[in-house]
Amino acid sequence: MTELSVRPATVDDAGAIAVAHHSAWVQTYSDLLPAEHWASDTVARRRHRWRDRLSRRVPGHPLVAVVDEQVVGFAQAGSTRGKDGVPPVQSDELWSLYVRPEHHGSGIGALLLDAVLPARRPAELWVAEANPRARRFYEKHGFAQDGARFTDAHEIVQIRMVRGH
């Protein structure tokens, strides 16, 4: 029987979070980013950044999803941040939600989303316009595009999705 839980991330989770983060990025963004991007965007680099972030316990501390004692995803939310001059419309924002690709469709993403932003709680998030899988997931959980957009540092168009009023 599979054992699934969600808990606050610890510094010891940095490596597993880095693998989940990197593998989801490779699956989602490999066609959107130039090949040279992946020379510096490595699991080791992400592990270092996650270890640093988790050791500081800053606002928006991530939660991890654990299946049979293995971290398979994470999510974090916090106060809304304006993006590229686009003012926020909600006070809470989903900052990130990533699940290892082999666990997509398992319900782990929904569990993480509900843990960091309980259902019906007004919130906003930014998602790559070229990521239809993620957009469908967020629509299923009550988010809708509101027309706001910006182009991020990787030249990827991000669209805002909003839930609640």
Side-chain angles (χ1 to χ4, degrees), residues 9-27 38 41-54 62-64 70-74 98-101:
T10 68
V11 173
D12 292 338
D13 295 322
I17 292 172
V19 169
H21 200 184
H22 189 265
S23 62
W25 260 65
V26 168
Q27 183 185 52
W38 304 106
D41 186 347
T42 63
V43 172
R45 184 172 180 182
R46 286 182 189 260
R47 181 183 313 112
H48 175 75
R49 289 196 308 210
W50 275 109
R51 185 171 303 283
D52 180 59
R53 178 174 171 68
L54 293 169
L63 299 180
V64 292
Q70 178 186 8
V71 172
V72 299
F74 70 94
Y98 290 99
V99 175
R100 289 179 65 139

Side-chain angles (χ1 to χ4, degrees), residues 4-148:
L4 171 63
S5 62
V6 173
R7 62 168 173 73
T10 68
V11 173
D12 292 338
D13 295 322
I17 292 172
V19 169
H21 200 184
H22 189 265
S23 62
W25 260 65
V26 168
Q27 183 185 52
T28 303
Y29 299 111
S30 58
D31 290 341
L32 302 175
L33 294 170
E36 54 271 11
H37 170 86
W38 304 106
S40 63
D41 186 347
T42 63
V43 172
R45 184 172 180 182
R46 286 182 189 260
R47 181 183 313 112
H48 175 75
R49 289 196 308 210
W50 275 109
R51 185 171 303 283
D52 180 59
R53 178 174 171 68
L54 293 169
S55 68
R56 289 183 282 127
R57 299 278 306 176
V58 296
H61 191 79
L63 299 180
V64 292
V66 181
V67 174
D68 296 332
E69 299 181 27
Q70 178 186 8
V71 172
V72 299
F74 70 94
Q76 53 189 354
S79 297
T80 307
R81 306 163 294 180
K83 298 283 187 179
D84 201 33
V86 179
V89 294
Q90 300 291 10
S91 58
D92 293 316
E93 178 182 347
L94 178 66
W95 292 349
S96 61
L97 190 159
Y98 290 99
V99 175
R100 289 179 65 139
E102 63 268 25
H103 291 278
H104 285 177
S106 68
I108 291 170
L111 188 66
L112 282 166
L113 179 60
D114 286 344
V116 296
L117 288 172
R120 300 193 216 309
R121 184 169 168 183
E124 64 182 69
L125 59 89
W126 292 91
V127 62
E129 184 175 46
N131 188 350
R133 179 186 186 96
R135 290 193 341 257
R136 284 191 305 272
F137 171 82
Y138 294 125
E139 287 168 357
K140 186 171 138 181
H141 293 279
F143 289 86
Q145 296 175 43
D146 76 345

